[in-house]
Amino acid sequence: MKLLNAQSENFQAELEALLAFETAQDPKIDQIVADICADVQQRGDAAVIEYTNRFDGTCARTLADLTLSQDDLKNAFERLPENVQTALQTAARRVESYHRRQKMESWHYLDEDGTLLGQKITPLDRVGIYVPGGKAAYPSSVIMNAMPAHVAGVGEIIMVVPTPKGERNDIVLAAAYVAGVTKVFTVGGAQAVAALAYGTQSIPQVDKITGPGNAFVAAAKRRVFGVVGIDMVAGPSEILVIADGTTPAEWVAMDLFSQAEHDEIAQAILIATSQNYLDEVKAAMDTLIEAMPRRAIIEASLGNRGAFILAENLDRACEIANYIAPEHLELSVEHPQQWAEKIRHAGAIFMGKYTSESLGDYCAGPNHVLPTSRTARFSSPLGTYDFQKRTSLIQVSEDGAQKLGKTASILAHGEMLTAHARAAEFRLKD
Amino acid sequence: MKLLNAQSENFQAELEALLAFETAQDPKIDQIVADICADVQQRGDAAVIEYTNRFDGTCARTLADLTLSQDDLKNAFERLPENVQTALQTAARRVESYHRRQKMESWHYLDEDGTLLGQKITPLDRVGIYVPGGKAAYPSSVIMNAMPAHVAGVGEIIMVVPTPKGERNDIVLAAAYVAGVTKVFTVGGAQAVAALAYGTQSIPQVDKITGPGNAFVAAAKRRVFGVVGIDMVAGPSEILVIADGTTPAEWVAMDLFSQAEHDEIAQAILIATSQNYLDEVKAAMDTLIEAMPRRAIIEASLGNRGAFILAENLDRACEIANYIAPEHLELSVEHPQQWAEKIRHAGAIFMGKYTSESLGDYCAGPNHVLPTSRTARFSSPLGTYDFQKRTSLIQVSEDGAQKLGKTASILAHGEMLTAHARAAEFRLKD
C-alpha cells in the first residue's frame, strides 16, 4: 500500500495519480453490444433465447422457459434456512422504512393573481432491475434496487438475472420476493438490457433500467439511454476512512479489507492524523489477511490502488475527503457529526466507530448504490426519487394572463419569436 | 398537417410513426468533438483561443479577451430599454420564487436503537451554463438554467456563450446579470464544453454542465459525462394540445405556431373531440400564417411532424397523451384540473384557456427546460434539485450495531464476502 503525506509538496499530484482511473470504453465491446441490441430490437424473443442459450449454456426453447413467477420466488424464499429468511426480511424492512422518507409528494400554490403553480409527482409505470448472476450474485443488490421502486409506487418491477448453466440462486430470488419484484426473466447480458429497453413479444418494455453489470451490460445501458432511463454507470467501488485513532485498529483494517475484497480495482484509502495509528492498522492488516478467503483479491486491490495518507489534522483530512468525494466515507472519529458538517461531497457518510460500511451495505436502511469515481460532486445515492418524476403544473388565471402576457410578449419579441408573443397577446383584454 | 382518427384500426401504428424521430449520433461530428476535447484537455487556454478565433471569427490573444466580469453584465443590463429590464426582472423573480419551493432540505431521524439515519443536502460547488449564440440567442434560457443553480446555493455559476464575430447580445448578458451568473466566457462549441469539464489555466473546472446547444455541443456533453454531470441531451421541442372546443380556435392555432416556429423538426399536435373544432383551428391557422415572420419554419415543421388527432372523448385524449408523454401539454379545456389528474406522463401541464405555453416559456415560474421525445415517462423538468445532491448519513449506536451486525453477517456470508461479515462481527459484544 502506498503511503502519502498530506504535507509533502507533491501531495496533490500524488493524490490525483492515486485516484486516476481509466474509464475509456472498449470499441470492440461496443460493436458486439450494438449488434446484439439491434438483433433483439428486430427479432425479439427469438434473439433473446438464442443469445441466452449461447452465452449462459442453457437450452431454453421459449421465453416461458426463462420466466419465473411470484410463486417461484416465494418457493425460493421458503427453501432458505430461517435465519437467512429473517435476515432478508429485516434488511428489506429497514431499507423500506428509510426509503419511505425519500418519497416526494405533489404540491401547488396560488400566487397573488390566482394563478396556480405546482409540481405533480408520479411514479414510473414499469422498471427493469438488472441483477448479475454467477460468481457475483448479490441478494443485497436486489433489495437496494427493487425496494426504492416498490416504495415509489412503480406498477411493475421486472427483474432480469442470468442463470449460467441454468443454476438459480435461491437467495437472489428470495430477495426479489421480499423486495416486491413483479416478475423475473432469467436472461442477462446486453440481450437482457435490449429486451427491457425495446420490449419483445414476452418481455415488456420498461421506462428505466437500474442495476450493476459487467462491461457488456454497462455498454448496453449506455446505448439504450434515452429510449429508457438508466441509473449511473458505476466505476470501481471505493472507501475512504478518516480515523482519529480512537477506533480499534483491527476494525479499521477489516473495513478496508471489506472494500478491497470486492475486486482487484476497488479502492481503499485510510487517512489518519498519526503515523503510529497508520502503523497499527498496517500491523493489524498483516495479521488479519491470513484468514481472508479472498486474500488474493484483497492484496491485489490494496497493492494497486490502496493508500495510507498521513494528514496534519482532521480539518485537513476533511478537505482531502471533499476533493476525493468518496463513494463511502467512514468518519471513524469521536464527535463524528461535527466533522460530517465539513463534508460537502460523499455518497454516504458512516459516522463513529460502530458504523462499519458493511452495516450500511446490507441493512442500516440507506441505499448501497452510491456515486463512484468522484461523481458524488454532482450526484446522489440511488433512491425512491429515482423512480418518481415531476411534472410542472401551471394554470394562469384571467388576471394572471394580463400581467404575465405583457412580460412574455416583451421577452418573446426580444427573441424574435413572434408566435410566442402573439399567443400571449391573444390572452390580453386590452 | 396529418389527420389521425383515434378510432381507426391503424391508429397506434400511425401515432408511433408520427412520433418516431431518428436520434442517431453522427460519427463524423463525434470524431471532431473527440479531437477538440483532447486538445483542450492537453493545451488548455491556447487551444480554446485557437478554436474560438477559427470558428467564431474573433481575434482574441488571451483568454482575458474572452472574459466578461459582473460589471460587463451590469452594463449590458443598463443599456437595455426600461420595459425590457423590467420584463427580465419580473421573469427572474417569478422563476426564483417557484424554484425556491423545489429546494431540498437535509433530514435525519433516530431509530428505536438510537441509530441515526438521514440525508444531507449540499449544493454543487461550481456549475457551467452553456448558452447558444448567434441566431438562437435566448435570454429566457439563461434565466431558466442559471436561476435554479443560484437558488440551490451553487457557489459559482460560469456561463459560456459564443459571440460570432465578437458580437455580444445585450439581452443575453443582462439575463445573466439578473439570474446570478458569476462570470462569463465568450466561447462556445465543443471547446467551451471541454474547457468547463477539464478546466484550463483561466476557465475553472465545473461539476456539472447544463444548457442547450448544437450537435457539436451535444456530442461534447455526452463525451464529458462522468467527468462532470450534464443535464439531458434534448430532442426537438414538442407541444400536445388537448382541446374540448371551448378555447377560441385562433388561440390554439397560435399556440401550435409558437411550438412550430422553433425549428423545422419541432412537433405540434392537437387532439380535439370534434371534427368541427379541428376544422376551425385549421381555418384560423390558414389566416394567421400570413402574418408570421417565421412562416417558412412553421410550415415546414407542421408539414413534417404536425398532426390533428380526432378522439372520441377527453378520456381517450388523456390516454393518448400518456402514451406521447409530451414535453408541453396544454389542457385547453373546462375543468382542466380534473383532466390533469389523469395525466401520468408530461414535462409540464398548461391548464385552461388562459395558459398559453408561451407564458410558461418566459415567466410563469416553472422551468422551461423539459423532457422531450417521450422521456417524460422517466424524467423531470430541470430544477433546483438538479443543482443539489444527497449524501446518506448513518451513525449506528452500540446497541444498533448488535442487531444490525447479526443481520449483516448472515447476508455477507450468503454473498461469500467474509471481510464484510467480519467487519460487522467485530462490532458485536458477544
Side-chain angles (χ1 to χ4, degrees):
Chain A
M1 255 169 111
K2 289 176 199 70
L3 174 63
L4 276 62
N5 187 322
Q7 289 187 286
S8 102
E9 213 173 291
N10 299 325
F11 176 69
Q12 183 61 25
E14 288 173 339
L15 183 61
E16 282 173 29
L18 178 68
L19 301 177
F21 184 76
E22 186 50 70
T23 55
Q25 292 144 251
D26 181 335
K28 270 188 219 154
I29 289 182
D30 266 354
Q31 190 53 55
I32 293 168
V33 165
D35 293 344
I36 292 174
C37 287
D39 196 19
V40 169
Q41 190 175 7
Q42 203 177 351
R43 294 197 300 130
D45 282 358
V48 172
I49 293 166
E50 262 179 49
Y51 290 116
T52 302
N53 287 341
R54 189 190 311 167
F55 297 134
D56 293 343
T58 50
C59 45
R61 294 181 158 212
T62 69
L63 220 358
D65 299 336
L66 301 170
T67 307
L68 302 181
S69 67
Q70 278 279 342
D71 276 350
D72 296 317
L73 306 183
K74 190 167 179 226
N75 292 339
F77 178 80
E78 286 170 356
R79 280 193 295 270
L80 293 177
E82 206 186 318
N83 69 333
V84 179
Q85 289 179 344
T86 307
L88 282 175
Q89 283 172 323
T90 302
R93 207 177 51 238
R94 288 190 63 97
V95 171
E96 181 175 7
S97 160
Y98 179 85
H99 284 77
R100 287 212 177 280
R101 307 219 175 206
Q102 292 182 327
K103 199 169 172 180
M104 302 189 289
E105 302 293 341
S106 303
W107 51 262
H108 67 266
Y109 63 99
L110 292 180
D111 74 8
E112 62 281 10
D113 299 318
T115 289
L116 178 148
L117 299 172
Q119 188 172 274
K120 176 183 163 106
I121 305 293
T122 42
L124 277 64
D125 283 347
R126 192 191 284 133
V127 303
I129 307 289
Y130 189 95
V131 177
K135 59 171 187 166
Y138 294 144
S140 58
S141 173
V142 176
I143 294 175
M144 293 296 183
N145 278 276
M147 188 56 87
H150 179 68
V151 169
V154 169
E156 278 182 77
I157 304 172
I158 310 293
M159 175 171 133
V160 292
V161 56
T163 53
K165 297 188 187 140
E167 276 175 33
R168 294 172 184 172
N169 181 322
D170 271 353
I171 311 192
V172 164
L173 299 182
Y177 175 68
V178 301
V181 168
T182 315
K183 202 172 198 181
V184 174
F185 296 98
T186 56
V187 298
Q191 58 274 20
V193 173
L196 291 170
Y198 302 117
T200 69
Q201 296 86 340
S202 306
I203 301 178
Q205 185 181 32
V206 302
D207 299 304
K208 187 167 189 169
I209 301 172
T210 72
N214 63 20
F216 292 89
V217 172
K221 279 169 68 182
R222 275 182 193 275
R223 178 158 293 272
V224 300
F225 175 52
V227 180
V228 297
I230 61 168
D231 59 346
M232 60 200 96
V233 176
S237 194
E238 326 137 10
I239 194 171
L240 172 63
V241 181
I242 294 180
D244 64 0
T246 58
T247 306
E250 296 76 28
W251 297 14
V252 167
M254 194 56 78
D255 292 351
L256 296 170
F257 283 178
S258 76
Q259 194 60 43
E261 74 175 340
H262 274 296
D263 57 58
E264 291 84 351
I265 54 172
Q267 184 157 56
I269 299 175
L270 169 62
I271 308 185
T273 48
S274 89
Q275 183 64 48
N276 265 354
Y277 189 73
L278 291 178
D279 293 340
E280 277 177 48
V281 173
K282 186 167 184 322
M285 290 168 88
D286 290 341
T287 308
L288 291 167
I289 191 70
E290 305 285 339
M292 289 289 106
R294 296 167 77 94
R295 175 175 184 166
I297 295 173
I298 293 173
E299 287 180 335
S301 160
L302 295 177
N304 291 334
R305 308 198 65 222
F308 292 121
I309 299 177
L310 179 64
E312 53 271 42
N313 54 44
L314 288 178
D315 274 308
R316 184 70 199 282
C318 288
E319 259 178 47
I320 297 168
N322 280 325
Y323 178 78
I324 295 177
E327 181 190 12
H328 305 97
L329 173 64
E330 277 189 16
L331 292 176
S332 214
V333 299
E334 294 203 307
H335 314 298
Q337 293 183 31
Q338 153 192 349
W339 299 103
E341 293 283 318
K342 295 182 192 280
I343 300 299
R344 296 196 312 282
H345 310 301
I349 307 178
F350 301 79
M351 296 185 284
K353 65 179 171 184
Y354 287 105
T355 315
S356 68
E357 186 214 303
S358 65
L359 297 182
D361 285 344
Y362 290 108
C363 54
N367 211 286
H368 79 191
V369 180
L370 298 167
T372 58
S373 307
R374 303 192 65 222
T375 59
R377 290 177 296 127
F378 54 82
S379 51
S380 299
L382 188 71
T384 307
Y385 39 76
D386 286 305
F387 298 97
Q388 300 181 290
K389 64 244 170 26
R390 307 164 181 92
T391 297
S392 304
L393 297 176
I394 312 176
Q395 182 169 3
V396 178
S397 66
E398 192 175 350
D399 276 0
Q402 309 312 309
K403 290 188 197 161
L404 292 180
K406 282 166 198 155
T407 297
S409 163
I410 291 167
L411 294 174
H413 284 302
E415 296 183 352
M416 312 220 267
L417 294 175
T418 309
H420 281 67
R422 297 293 293 140
E425 292 157 10
F426 274 169
R427 271 85 173 177
L428 297 176
K429 278 186 281 196
D430 37 283
Chain B
M1 253 169 113
K2 287 176 201 69
L3 173 64
L4 275 61
N5 187 322
Q7 289 187 288
S8 100
E9 213 174 291
N10 299 325
F11 175 69
Q12 182 61 25
E14 288 173 339
L15 183 61
E16 282 173 29
L18 178 68
L19 301 177
F21 184 75
E22 187 49 68
T23 56
Q25 293 144 252
D26 182 333
K28 271 188 219 156
I29 290 182
D30 266 354
Q31 189 53 53
I32 294 168
V33 165
D35 293 344
I36 292 175
C37 287
D39 196 20
V40 169
Q41 190 176 8
Q42 202 178 350
R43 294 197 300 130
D45 281 358
V48 172
I49 293 166
E50 262 180 49
Y51 290 115
T52 302
N53 287 342
R54 189 191 311 168
F55 297 135
D56 293 342
T58 51
C59 45
R61 295 182 157 211
T62 70
L63 221 359
D65 298 335
L66 300 170
T67 307
L68 302 180
S69 67
Q70 278 280 341
D71 276 349
D72 296 316
L73 305 184
K74 190 167 180 228
N75 292 338
F77 178 81
E78 285 170 354
R79 279 193 296 270
L80 292 178
E82 205 185 320
N83 68 335
V84 179
Q85 290 179 342
T86 306
L88 281 176
Q89 284 172 323
T90 303
R93 206 177 53 240
R94 290 191 60 97
V95 171
E96 182 174 8
S97 161
Y98 179 86
H99 284 76
R100 287 212 177 280
R101 308 220 174 203
Q102 292 182 327
K103 199 168 171 180
M104 301 188 290
E105 302 294 342
S106 303
W107 50 263
H108 67 266
Y109 63 101
L110 293 180
D111 74 9
E112 62 281 9
D113 299 318
T115 288
L116 177 148
L117 298 172
Q119 188 172 274
K120 177 184 162 103
I121 305 294
T122 42
L124 276 64
D125 282 348
R126 190 190 285 132
V127 303
I129 306 290
Y130 189 95
V131 177
K135 62 170 184 165
Y138 294 144
S140 59
S141 174
V142 176
I143 294 175
M144 293 295 181
N145 278 276
M147 189 56 86
H150 179 68
V151 169
V154 169
E156 278 182 76
I157 304 172
I158 309 294
M159 177 170 131
V160 292
V161 56
T163 53
K165 295 184 187 146
E167 277 175 31
R168 294 172 184 172
N169 181 321
D170 272 353
I171 312 192
V172 164
L173 299 182
Y177 174 68
V178 300
V181 168
T182 314
K183 202 173 198 181
V184 174
F185 296 98
T186 55
V187 298
Q191 57 275 17
V193 174
L196 291 171
Y198 302 117
T200 70
Q201 297 85 341
S202 306
I203 301 179
Q205 185 182 32
V206 303
D207 299 303
K208 186 167 189 169
I209 302 172
T210 73
N214 64 18
F216 292 89
V217 172
K221 280 170 66 182
R222 277 181 191 274
R223 178 160 291 275
V224 301
F225 175 51
V227 180
V228 296
I230 61 168
D231 60 345
M232 59 200 98
V233 176
S237 194
E238 327 136 9
I239 193 171
L240 172 64
V241 180
I242 294 179
D244 64 0
T246 59
T247 306
E250 296 75 30
W251 296 15
V252 167
M254 194 56 80
D255 292 351
L256 296 171
F257 283 178
S258 75
Q259 195 58 44
E261 75 176 340
H262 275 295
D263 57 58
E264 292 83 351
I265 54 171
Q267 184 158 55
I269 299 176
L270 169 62
I271 308 184
T273 48
S274 88
Q275 183 63 49
N276 264 356
Y277 188 73
L278 290 178
D279 293 340
E280 277 177 47
V281 173
K282 186 166 184 323
M285 290 167 88
D286 291 342
T287 308
L288 292 167
I289 191 72
E290 304 285 341
M292 289 291 105
R294 294 166 77 94
R295 175 175 184 164
I297 295 173
I298 293 172
E299 287 179 335
S301 160
L302 295 177
N304 291 334
R305 306 198 67 223
F308 292 122
I309 298 177
L310 179 63
E312 53 271 42
N313 55 44
L314 289 178
D315 274 306
R316 185 68 200 285
C318 289
E319 260 176 48
I320 297 168
N322 280 325
Y323 178 79
I324 295 177
E327 182 190 13
H328 306 97
L329 173 63
E330 276 189 17
L331 291 176
S332 213
V333 299
E334 295 204 305
H335 313 299
Q337 292 183 32
Q338 152 192 349
W339 299 103
E341 293 283 319
K342 295 181 192 280
I343 301 298
R344 295 195 313 283
H345 311 301
I349 306 179
F350 301 79
M351 296 185 283
K353 66 179 173 184
Y354 287 106
T355 315
S356 68
E357 187 213 302
S358 65
L359 298 182
D361 285 343
Y362 291 108
C363 54
N367 211 286
H368 80 192
V369 181
L370 298 167
T372 57
S373 307
R374 303 194 65 222
T375 60
R377 290 177 298 129
F378 54 83
S379 50
S380 299
L382 188 71
T384 308
Y385 38 77
D386 286 306
F387 298 98
Q388 301 181 290
K389 65 242 169 27
R390 307 163 180 94
T391 298
S392 303
L393 297 176
I394 312 177
Q395 183 169 5
V396 178
S397 66
E398 192 176 350
D399 276 358
Q402 309 312 307
K403 289 187 199 163
L404 292 179
K406 282 166 199 155
T407 297
S409 164
I410 292 167
L411 294 174
H413 284 302
E415 295 183 353
M416 312 220 267
L417 293 175
T418 309
H420 282 68
R422 297 292 293 140
E425 291 157 9
F426 274 168
R427 272 84 174 178
L428 297 177
K429 277 185 278 195
D430 37 283

